[in-house]
Amino acid sequence: MDTVVSMSDLETAMLYATLAGAFMPLGGVLARIERIRPLWLERELRHGVIAFGGGALLAAVALVLVPEGQRYLSAWPALAAFGAGGITFFLIDRTIERRGGGIAQLMSMLLDFVPESLALGTMLAADWQAGLLLAGLIALQNLPEGFNAYLELRVRDALSSKQILAGFCAMTLLGPLAAWFGFIYLRQTSGALGAMMLFSAGGILYLIFEDIAPQAHLARRWAPALGAVAGFMLGLLGQMLLG
């Protein structure tokens, strides 16, 4: 692959990662809005927002990360990278769960945002259109993730709004750093680029079914499931518009 890096391209990749990460504190800000009445609507809206993020993540896996990763790896290395991502995220998730508390909640958010940003940097180095789509899907997922994490931290850990939003903003800064690393170093070899995309895809798929899908479910309510469909449809629309 071409190893000559345009500074403007690198700066744009870092900007995309920053904007995608900024949707985490934005989700927290939206969660501060006064409670909605009736209560059933509040609960269904919250779960619907979470499911929408899951649909957007699934679109990122199915429409961007896996197809692009397969371009650079043969079948067995591709399967190995995908499986390694799922197992790695499982091990980290177990470690985080044992810790508990607000730090664990923030670490759980970083668990998918940092690998996503690494994949975004590598993607933007290889295919700007696909990278732009991935950045949009990451942003769509970060919004409901920040929304839900804010509510959980307020209730479970009794943290102030300023403390939570400050933590979210600090996490946002890791996005451009990860994108920079992916853009500069992982672009050097096509194998590393494809492996990073598939590794992230495997990890994200694990998180969807371990964390997002269970939280989205509500007995005798259908809006959350429709929210997941809407999130995936939005990703599909972006993929089709980019051709």
Side-chain angles (χ1 to χ4, degrees):
M1 295 183 64
D2 181 15
T3 58
V4 178
V5 178
S6 166
M7 184 56 65
S8 61
D9 288 348
L10 175 58
E11 291 172 350
T12 303
M14 295 175 68
L15 175 62
Y16 283 168
T18 302
L19 292 175
F23 275 69
M24 283 189 290
L26 178 59
V29 171
L30 292 177
R32 294 183 63 185
I33 297 175
E34 190 66 23
R35 289 182 174 275
I36 302 171
R37 292 294 185 269
L39 182 60
W40 70 265
L41 179 59
E42 177 186 327
R43 293 180 65 238
E44 193 153 354
L45 175 63
R46 176 180 176 181
H47 287 254
V49 168
I50 296 170
F52 180 86
L57 266 183
L58 186 58
V61 170
L63 302 176
V64 182
L65 292 173
V66 170
E68 290 296 323
Q70 287 178 312
R71 290 173 52 190
Y72 303 103
L73 293 176
S74 57
W76 289 113
L79 287 173
F82 189 90
I87 294 171
T88 300
F89 276 50
F90 156 72
L91 294 174
I92 298 174
D93 190 41
R94 287 289 302 273
T95 302
I96 291 173
E97 184 180 2
R98 293 191 188 101
R99 293 182 60 89
I103 298 298
Q105 182 71 40
L106 296 177
M107 288 298 296
S108 180
M109 292 176 66
L110 284 177
L111 181 59
D112 58 339
F113 178 54
V114 171
E116 286 170 356
S117 298
L118 279 168
L120 177 59
T122 60
M123 182 73 73
L124 290 170
D127 186 337
W128 273 97
Q129 285 189 323
L132 181 59
L133 174 59
L134 180 60
L137 293 173
I138 293 172
L140 289 174
Q141 174 261 329
N142 282 336
L143 182 69
E145 191 165 52
F147 180 93
N148 185 56
Y150 176 91
L151 294 175
E152 288 193 6
L153 289 169
R154 285 286 285 166
V155 173
R156 188 175 62 186
D157 295 275
L159 298 175
S160 70
S161 296
K162 290 183 178 180
Q163 288 175 319
I164 297 172
L165 294 178
F168 288 1
C169 290
M171 291 168 56
T172 298
L173 299 178
L174 295 177
L177 292 177
W180 169 82
F181 183 87
F183 193 97
I184 294 295
Y185 294 105
L186 296 181
R187 75 191 301 272
Q188 302 290 342
T189 60
S190 59
L193 191 154
M196 185 66 247
M197 294 176 186
L198 289 163
F199 179 89
S200 299
I204 290 170
L205 189 63
Y206 167 83
L207 290 177
I208 290 174
F209 286 96
E210 174 62 21
D211 295 330
I212 298 175
Q215 291 187 63
H217 177 71
L218 273 175
R220 301 179 64 183
R221 300 292 181 188
W222 299 274
L226 291 174
V229 173
F232 191 91
M233 287 176 61
L234 194 58
L236 180 60
L237 175 61
Q239 193 261 358
M240 290 189 296
L241 291 177
L242 291 176

